[in-house]
Amino acid sequence: MTHIGIRQGDTVGILGSGQLGRMLASAAARLGLRSHVYAPESGPAFDVATTHTRAEYDNDEALAKFAAEVHVITYEFENVPAHTAEFLVARRQVHPNPVALATSQDRLLEKQFLNSLGIPTAPFAQVDDGGSLARAVAQIGRPSILKTRRFGYDGKGQAMVREGADLSAVFRGIGAQPCILEGVVDFAREISVVGARGFDGSFAAWDVCENTHEHHILAVTRAPANIAPETAAQAVGMASRIAEALNYVGVIAVEMFHIVKKRPNGEVVESLAVNELAPRVHNSGHWTLDGSVTSQFEQHIRAICGWPLGSTRLHAPVEMRNLIGSDVDMWRELLNEPGVCLHLYGKREARPGRKMGHFTRLLPQE
Ligand code: AMP
Protein backbone atom coordinates (compact mmCIF):
# COMPACT_ATOMS: atom_id res chain seq x y z
CA MET A 1 0.00 0.00 0.00
CA THR A 2 1.29 3.46 -0.76
CA HIS A 3 0.52 6.30 1.56
CA ILE A 4 -1.61 9.19 0.43
CA GLY A 5 0.93 11.69 1.75
CA ILE A 6 -0.40 13.69 4.65
CA ARG A 7 0.71 17.33 4.82
CA GLN A 8 0.52 20.20 7.32
CA GLY A 9 -3.07 21.39 7.71
CA ASP A 10 -4.57 17.99 6.75
CA THR A 11 -7.04 16.32 9.08
CA VAL A 12 -6.65 13.14 11.12
CA GLY A 13 -9.95 11.36 11.82
CA ILE A 14 -10.18 9.71 15.24
CA LEU A 15 -12.92 7.28 16.31
CA GLY A 16 -13.66 7.61 20.02
CA SER A 17 -13.92 10.62 22.31
CA GLY A 18 -12.06 9.48 25.44
CA GLN A 19 -8.76 10.65 26.90
CA LEU A 20 -6.71 8.68 24.37
CA GLY A 21 -8.47 10.51 21.54
CA ARG A 22 -7.86 13.77 23.40
CA MET A 23 -4.12 13.14 23.66
CA LEU A 24 -3.97 12.01 20.00
CA ALA A 25 -5.76 15.18 18.88
CA SER A 26 -3.35 17.32 20.93
CA ALA A 27 -0.35 15.53 19.40
CA ALA A 28 -1.79 16.05 15.92
CA ALA A 29 -2.16 19.79 16.62
CA ARG A 30 1.48 20.00 17.72
CA LEU A 31 2.49 18.55 14.37
CA GLY A 32 0.45 21.08 12.40
CA LEU A 33 -2.50 18.78 11.74
CA ARG A 34 -6.21 19.19 12.33
CA SER A 35 -8.31 16.54 14.03
CA HIS A 36 -11.88 15.37 13.62
CA VAL A 37 -13.20 13.15 16.42
CA TYR A 38 -16.17 10.87 15.71
CA ALA A 39 -18.06 9.27 18.61
CA PRO A 40 -21.60 8.55 19.76
CA GLU A 41 -20.96 10.25 23.11
CA SER A 42 -19.27 13.54 23.79
CA GLY A 43 -16.06 13.14 25.80
CA PRO A 44 -12.65 14.63 26.62
CA ALA A 45 -11.50 14.47 22.99
CA PHE A 46 -14.33 16.74 21.78
CA ASP A 47 -12.86 19.58 23.87
CA VAL A 48 -9.55 19.66 22.00
CA ALA A 49 -10.36 18.37 18.50
CA THR A 50 -10.65 20.85 15.64
CA THR A 51 -14.05 19.34 14.72
CA HIS A 52 -16.24 16.61 16.05
CA THR A 53 -19.18 14.52 14.93
CA ARG A 54 -21.57 13.00 17.42
CA ALA A 55 -23.17 9.98 15.74
CA GLU A 56 -23.52 6.23 16.17
CA TYR A 57 -20.94 3.88 14.64
CA ASP A 58 -23.59 2.37 12.34
CA ASN A 59 -24.75 5.72 10.93
CA ASP A 60 -23.47 5.32 7.34
CA GLU A 61 -24.46 8.83 6.33
CA ALA A 62 -22.47 10.41 9.17
CA LEU A 63 -19.55 7.99 8.59
CA ALA A 64 -19.44 8.87 4.85
CA LYS A 65 -19.37 12.60 5.65
CA PHE A 66 -16.63 12.05 8.26
CA ALA A 67 -14.54 10.00 5.81
CA ALA A 68 -14.91 12.68 3.14
CA GLU A 69 -13.66 15.38 5.53
CA VAL A 70 -10.53 13.64 6.85
CA HIS A 71 -7.30 12.45 5.20
CA VAL A 72 -6.49 9.40 7.32
CA ILE A 73 -8.43 7.56 10.04
CA THR A 74 -7.43 5.98 13.33
CA TYR A 75 -9.19 4.99 16.54
CA GLU A 76 -8.62 5.11 20.28
CA PHE A 77 -10.37 1.84 21.25
CA GLU A 78 -10.27 -1.69 19.84
CA ASN A 79 -13.98 -2.43 19.89
CA VAL A 80 -14.68 -0.48 16.71
CA PRO A 81 -17.51 -2.49 15.09
CA ALA A 82 -16.42 -4.53 12.05
CA HIS A 83 -19.03 -2.78 9.86
CA THR A 84 -17.65 0.66 10.77
CA ALA A 85 -14.09 -0.40 9.98
CA GLU A 86 -15.08 -1.95 6.62
CA PHE A 87 -17.18 1.07 5.65
CA LEU A 88 -14.33 3.47 6.38
CA VAL A 89 -11.59 1.33 4.81
CA ALA A 90 -13.51 1.49 1.50
CA ARG A 91 -13.16 5.29 1.60
CA ARG A 92 -9.95 6.22 3.44
CA GLN A 93 -6.79 4.66 4.79
CA VAL A 94 -7.50 3.31 8.28
CA HIS A 95 -4.56 2.54 10.58
CA PRO A 96 -4.02 0.19 12.33
CA ASN A 97 -5.70 -2.06 9.76
CA PRO A 98 -8.94 -4.02 10.39
CA VAL A 99 -7.06 -7.35 10.67
CA ALA A 100 -5.28 -5.98 13.76
CA LEU A 101 -8.64 -4.84 15.10
CA ALA A 102 -10.36 -8.20 14.50
CA THR A 103 -7.44 -10.11 16.04
CA SER A 104 -7.39 -8.06 19.22
CA GLN A 105 -11.19 -8.00 19.59
CA ASP A 106 -11.38 -11.73 20.16
CA ARG A 107 -9.28 -13.38 22.88
CA LEU A 108 -9.40 -16.75 21.10
CA LEU A 109 -8.21 -15.40 17.72
CA GLU A 110 -5.60 -13.31 19.53
CA LYS A 111 -4.10 -16.24 21.42
CA GLN A 112 -4.21 -18.54 18.36
CA PHE A 113 -2.47 -15.81 16.33
CA LEU A 114 0.23 -15.37 18.99
CA ASN A 115 0.87 -19.10 19.28
CA SER A 116 1.05 -19.37 15.46
CA LEU A 117 4.02 -16.97 15.66
CA GLY A 118 5.63 -19.16 18.32
CA ILE A 119 4.89 -16.54 20.99
CA PRO A 120 3.94 -18.08 24.35
CA THR A 121 0.67 -17.27 26.13
CA ALA A 122 -1.10 -18.74 29.16
CA PRO A 123 -2.47 -22.20 28.29
CA PHE A 124 -6.03 -21.78 27.01
CA ALA A 125 -9.01 -23.69 25.66
CA GLN A 126 -12.10 -22.64 23.72
CA VAL A 127 -15.40 -22.64 25.64
CA ASP A 128 -18.74 -22.39 23.81
CA ASP A 129 -21.12 -24.06 26.26
CA GLY A 130 -21.32 -25.95 29.55
CA GLY A 131 -19.96 -29.19 28.01
CA SER A 132 -16.89 -27.53 26.51
CA LEU A 133 -16.25 -25.72 29.82
CA ALA A 134 -16.12 -29.09 31.64
CA ARG A 135 -13.66 -30.41 29.01
CA ALA A 136 -11.60 -27.19 29.21
CA VAL A 137 -11.37 -27.46 33.02
CA ALA A 138 -10.23 -31.09 32.68
CA GLN A 139 -7.49 -29.91 30.30
CA ILE A 140 -6.36 -26.65 31.97
CA GLY A 141 -7.07 -27.50 35.62
CA ARG A 142 -8.12 -25.31 38.55
CA PRO A 143 -7.82 -22.57 39.51
CA SER A 144 -8.26 -21.12 36.05
CA ILE A 145 -9.84 -18.00 34.59
CA LEU A 146 -12.89 -17.94 32.34
CA LYS A 147 -12.80 -14.89 30.07
CA THR A 148 -15.37 -13.75 27.52
CA ARG A 149 -13.88 -13.78 24.02
CA ARG A 150 -15.10 -10.25 23.34
CA PHE A 151 -15.57 -6.94 25.15
CA GLY A 152 -13.46 -7.70 28.21
CA TYR A 153 -11.37 -4.92 29.73
CA ASP A 154 -10.03 -3.89 33.15
CA GLY A 155 -10.94 -7.34 34.51
CA LYS A 156 -14.54 -7.18 33.26
CA GLY A 157 -15.90 -10.34 31.61
CA GLN A 158 -13.72 -12.60 33.77
CA ALA A 159 -14.48 -15.22 36.41
CA MET A 160 -12.20 -17.46 38.46
CA VAL A 161 -12.93 -21.17 38.28
CA ARG A 162 -11.90 -22.41 41.69
CA GLU A 163 -11.81 -25.85 43.27
CA GLY A 164 -15.39 -27.03 43.86
CA ALA A 165 -17.01 -24.23 41.80
CA ASP A 166 -20.25 -25.10 40.02
CA LEU A 167 -19.23 -24.83 36.36
CA SER A 168 -22.67 -24.14 34.93
CA ALA A 169 -23.19 -21.34 37.49
CA VAL A 170 -19.82 -19.79 36.52
CA PHE A 171 -20.71 -20.00 32.81
CA ARG A 172 -24.16 -18.48 33.40
CA GLY A 173 -22.62 -15.78 35.62
CA ILE A 174 -20.41 -14.60 32.76
CA GLY A 175 -23.41 -14.39 30.41
CA ALA A 176 -23.23 -17.91 28.84
CA GLN A 177 -21.33 -16.52 25.84
CA PRO A 178 -18.29 -17.68 23.85
CA CYS A 179 -15.27 -17.70 26.18
CA ILE A 180 -11.79 -19.04 26.68
CA LEU A 181 -10.53 -20.75 29.79
CA GLU A 182 -7.01 -19.70 30.73
CA GLY A 183 -4.52 -21.27 33.09
CA VAL A 184 -3.39 -19.00 35.94
CA VAL A 185 0.12 -17.71 35.29
CA ASP A 186 2.33 -17.44 38.36
CA PHE A 187 4.01 -14.22 37.27
CA ALA A 188 6.61 -12.07 39.01
CA ARG A 189 5.40 -8.88 37.38
CA GLU A 190 3.32 -7.53 34.54
CA ILE A 191 5.15 -5.62 31.84
CA SER A 192 4.26 -4.05 28.56
CA VAL A 193 6.00 -3.18 25.36
CA VAL A 194 4.70 -0.06 23.73
CA GLY A 195 6.14 0.45 20.28
CA ALA A 196 5.26 1.72 16.84
CA ARG A 197 5.60 0.35 13.34
CA GLY A 198 6.01 2.90 10.62
CA PHE A 199 4.70 2.80 7.07
CA ASP A 200 8.13 1.70 5.87
CA GLY A 201 8.17 -1.31 8.23
CA SER A 202 10.51 0.29 10.77
CA PHE A 203 9.77 -0.60 14.41
CA ALA A 204 10.64 1.57 17.41
CA ALA A 205 9.76 0.60 20.99
CA TRP A 206 10.17 2.55 24.20
CA ASP A 207 11.85 0.98 27.21
CA VAL A 208 9.82 -1.97 28.46
CA CYS A 209 7.69 -0.81 31.37
CA GLU A 210 6.31 -2.46 34.47
CA ASN A 211 2.66 -2.18 35.47
CA THR A 212 0.85 -2.46 38.79
CA HIS A 213 -2.91 -2.92 38.80
CA GLU A 214 -5.37 -2.14 41.59
CA HIS A 215 -8.89 -3.57 41.37
CA HIS A 216 -7.99 -4.77 37.83
CA ILE A 217 -7.27 -1.20 36.68
CA LEU A 218 -3.79 0.05 35.84
CA ALA A 219 -2.54 2.12 38.79
CA VAL A 220 1.21 2.64 38.23
CA THR A 221 3.63 2.22 35.33
CA ARG A 222 7.38 2.40 35.82
CA ALA A 223 9.94 2.52 33.07
CA PRO A 224 12.33 0.88 32.60
CA ALA A 225 10.98 -2.41 34.00
CA ASN A 226 13.08 -4.26 36.54
CA ILE A 227 13.99 -7.11 34.18
CA ALA A 228 17.18 -8.44 32.66
CA PRO A 229 18.29 -6.66 29.46
CA GLU A 230 18.03 -9.95 27.50
CA THR A 231 14.44 -10.39 28.68
CA ALA A 232 13.63 -6.82 27.66
CA ALA A 233 15.14 -7.44 24.22
CA GLN A 234 13.10 -10.63 23.92
CA ALA A 235 9.90 -8.74 24.84
CA VAL A 236 10.56 -6.04 22.24
CA GLY A 237 11.37 -8.74 19.67
CA MET A 238 7.97 -10.35 20.30
CA ALA A 239 6.14 -7.03 19.88
CA SER A 240 8.03 -6.36 16.67
CA ARG A 241 7.16 -9.80 15.26
CA ILE A 242 3.50 -9.28 16.14
CA ALA A 243 3.43 -5.87 14.42
CA GLU A 244 5.21 -7.28 11.37
CA ALA A 245 2.82 -10.24 11.06
CA LEU A 246 -0.18 -7.90 11.24
CA ASN A 247 1.35 -5.54 8.65
CA TYR A 248 0.70 -2.97 11.32
CA VAL A 249 0.99 0.81 11.14
CA GLY A 250 0.80 2.85 14.35
CA VAL A 251 1.40 2.32 18.07
CA ILE A 252 0.79 -1.14 19.49
CA ALA A 253 0.89 -2.19 23.13
CA VAL A 254 1.65 -5.76 24.12
CA GLU A 255 0.95 -6.73 27.73
CA MET A 256 3.03 -9.61 29.05
CA PHE A 257 3.62 -11.64 32.17
CA HIS A 258 7.23 -11.85 33.35
CA ILE A 259 7.76 -15.25 34.91
CA VAL A 260 10.71 -16.02 37.17
CA LYS A 261 11.32 -19.63 38.21
CA LYS A 262 14.04 -20.99 40.43
CA ARG A 263 15.27 -24.44 39.44
CA PRO A 264 16.18 -26.97 42.20
CA ASN A 265 19.88 -26.32 41.39
CA GLY A 266 19.34 -22.63 42.26
CA GLU A 267 19.41 -21.43 38.64
CA VAL A 268 16.95 -18.59 37.97
CA VAL A 269 15.07 -18.80 34.66
CA GLU A 270 13.11 -15.83 33.30
CA SER A 271 10.42 -16.19 30.65
CA LEU A 272 7.53 -14.25 29.12
CA ALA A 273 3.93 -14.97 28.16
CA VAL A 274 1.82 -12.48 26.23
CA ASN A 275 -1.49 -11.62 27.88
CA GLU A 276 -3.07 -9.09 25.53
CA LEU A 277 -2.56 -6.84 22.53
CA ALA A 278 -3.95 -3.33 22.24
CA PRO A 279 -3.97 -2.02 18.64
CA ARG A 280 -3.74 1.58 19.82
CA VAL A 281 -2.03 3.97 22.18
CA HIS A 282 -2.18 2.56 25.69
CA ASN A 283 -2.38 3.72 29.29
CA SER A 284 0.96 2.06 30.06
CA GLY A 285 2.55 4.41 27.50
CA HIS A 286 1.30 7.67 29.01
CA TRP A 287 4.66 8.25 30.68
CA THR A 288 6.17 8.85 27.22
CA LEU A 289 4.49 12.28 27.16
CA ASP A 290 6.94 13.54 29.78
CA GLY A 291 9.61 10.85 29.93
CA SER A 292 10.69 10.41 26.33
CA VAL A 293 11.79 12.43 23.31
CA THR A 294 8.70 11.33 21.34
CA SER A 295 5.41 10.50 23.04
CA GLN A 296 3.31 7.51 22.03
CA PHE A 297 0.64 9.94 20.78
CA GLU A 298 3.02 11.85 18.52
CA GLN A 299 4.52 8.57 17.31
CA HIS A 300 1.11 7.19 16.41
CA ILE A 301 0.27 10.32 14.42
CA ARG A 302 3.66 10.20 12.67
CA ALA A 303 3.16 6.52 11.79
CA ILE A 304 -0.38 6.79 10.41
CA CYS A 305 0.59 9.86 8.37
CA GLY A 306 3.46 7.93 6.78
CA TRP A 307 6.00 10.23 8.45
CA PRO A 308 9.33 9.10 9.99
CA LEU A 309 9.16 7.71 13.52
CA GLY A 310 10.74 9.78 16.31
CA SER A 311 13.30 8.83 18.94
CA THR A 312 11.99 6.71 21.82
CA ARG A 313 14.89 7.65 24.09
CA LEU A 314 14.06 7.94 27.79
CA HIS A 315 14.92 11.25 29.51
CA ALA A 316 15.23 9.50 32.91
CA PRO A 317 13.61 6.60 34.77
CA VAL A 318 9.97 7.53 35.13
CA GLU A 319 6.84 6.67 37.07
CA MET A 320 3.27 7.31 35.91
CA ARG A 321 0.29 7.12 38.25
CA ASN A 322 -3.33 7.13 37.18
CA LEU A 323 -5.83 9.35 38.96
CA ILE A 324 -8.85 7.10 39.32
CA GLY A 325 -12.18 8.41 40.64
CA SER A 326 -11.68 10.66 43.67
CA ASP A 327 -7.83 10.44 43.39
CA VAL A 328 -8.24 13.47 41.17
CA ASP A 329 -9.11 15.56 44.24
CA MET A 330 -5.37 15.81 44.93
CA TRP A 331 -4.80 17.85 41.78
CA ARG A 332 -3.88 20.98 43.75
CA GLU A 333 -1.25 19.15 45.83
CA LEU A 334 0.18 17.67 42.66
CA LEU A 335 0.41 21.09 41.05
CA ASN A 336 2.36 22.22 44.11
CA GLU A 337 4.87 19.39 43.87
CA PRO A 338 7.94 20.40 41.86
CA GLY A 339 8.77 17.90 39.14
CA VAL A 340 5.27 16.48 38.76
CA CYS A 341 3.76 16.61 35.28
CA LEU A 342 -0.02 16.58 35.67
CA HIS A 343 -2.50 15.64 32.96
CA LEU A 344 -6.22 16.10 33.64
CA TYR A 345 -8.81 14.86 31.18
CA GLY A 346 -11.49 17.45 31.95
CA LYS A 347 -14.14 14.93 33.02
CA ARG A 348 -16.67 16.63 35.29
CA GLU A 349 -17.84 13.62 37.29
CA ALA A 350 -15.31 11.53 39.27
CA ARG A 351 -17.10 8.16 39.37
CA PRO A 352 -15.33 5.21 41.08
CA GLY A 353 -13.07 3.41 38.60
CA ARG A 354 -13.15 6.29 36.12
CA LYS A 355 -9.78 7.46 34.75
CA MET A 356 -9.75 11.20 35.48
CA GLY A 357 -6.11 12.01 34.74
CA HIS A 358 -2.55 10.87 35.39
CA PHE A 359 0.75 12.29 36.51
CA THR A 360 4.39 11.47 35.94
CA ARG A 361 7.51 11.96 37.96
CA LEU A 362 10.98 11.67 36.49
CA LEU A 363 13.04 9.67 39.01
CA PRO A 364 16.69 10.18 39.93
CA GLN A 365 19.11 8.16 37.79
CA GLU A 366 20.25 5.07 39.74
P1 AMP B 1 -6.89 -8.97 31.13
O1 AMP B 1 -8.25 -8.35 31.03
O2 AMP B 1 -6.75 -10.24 30.36
O3 AMP B 1 -5.79 -7.98 30.83
O4 AMP B 1 -6.69 -9.36 32.67
C1 AMP B 1 -6.69 -8.38 33.68
C2 AMP B 1 -5.68 -8.75 34.75
O5 AMP B 1 -6.00 -10.02 35.32
C3 AMP B 1 -4.26 -8.90 34.23
O6 AMP B 1 -3.61 -7.66 34.16
C4 AMP B 1 -3.66 -9.82 35.28
O7 AMP B 1 -3.34 -9.11 36.45
C5 AMP B 1 -4.81 -10.76 35.61
N1 AMP B 1 -4.76 -11.96 34.74
C6 AMP B 1 -5.36 -12.09 33.53
N2 AMP B 1 -5.10 -13.30 32.99
C7 AMP B 1 -4.32 -13.95 33.86
C8 AMP B 1 -3.71 -15.26 33.88
N3 AMP B 1 -3.88 -16.13 32.87
N4 AMP B 1 -2.96 -15.59 34.96
C9 AMP B 1 -2.79 -14.73 35.99
N5 AMP B 1 -3.34 -13.49 36.03
C10 AMP B 1 -4.10 -13.09 34.99
Side-chain angles (χ1 to χ4, degrees), residues 250-297:
V251 166
I252 187 168
V254 185
E255 295 184 77
M256 304 182 190
F257 299 124
H258 176 229
I259 304 154
V260 180
K261 289 264 178 286
K262 206 168 181 178
R263 294 226 171 99
N265 65 2
E267 190 194 352
V268 175
V269 184
E270 294 189 29
S271 61
L272 299 167
V274 170
N275 179 33
E276 252 188 340
L277 310 179
R280 55 171 171 81
V281 288
H282 191 258
N283 196 169
S284 68
H286 286 6
W287 62 269
T288 60
L289 278 167
D290 309 306
S292 169
V293 176
T294 311
S295 78
Q296 62 165 345
F297 303 100

Side-chain angles (χ1 to χ4, degrees), residues 15 29 86 131 169 285:
L15 300 176
E86 281 159 25

Side-chain angles (χ1 to χ4, degrees), residues 163-218:
E163 221 50 69
D166 172 350
L167 294 186
S168 39
V170 175
F171 190 58
R172 273 198 312 277
I174 207 164
Q177 54 182 308
C179 288
I180 59 168
L181 186 74
E182 263 184 50
V184 174
V185 177
D186 181 16
F187 57 82
R189 55 177 60 75
E190 294 184 76
I191 61 169
S192 53
V193 178
V194 184
R197 188 163 179 271
F199 218 83
D200 58 0
S202 53
F203 186 80
W206 285 269
D207 280 68
V208 176
C209 49
E210 185 165 338
N211 302 315
T212 311
H213 296 85
E214 283 166 18
H215 312 294
H216 291 288
I217 301 175
L218 181 67

Side-chain angles (χ1 to χ4, degrees), residues 50-88:
T50 317
T51 319
H52 67 257
T53 297
R54 187 170 172 179
E56 296 298 326
Y57 290 120
D58 60 1
N59 181 337
D60 289 354
E61 202 180 317
L63 286 173
K65 188 161 178 291
F66 168 72
E69 290 174 8
V70 303
H71 298 89
V72 63
I73 297 173
T74 190
Y75 43 88
E76 61 143 26
F77 68 112
E78 57 271 43
N79 287 318
V80 173
H83 164 80
T84 313
E86 281 159 25
F87 187 91
L88 294 173

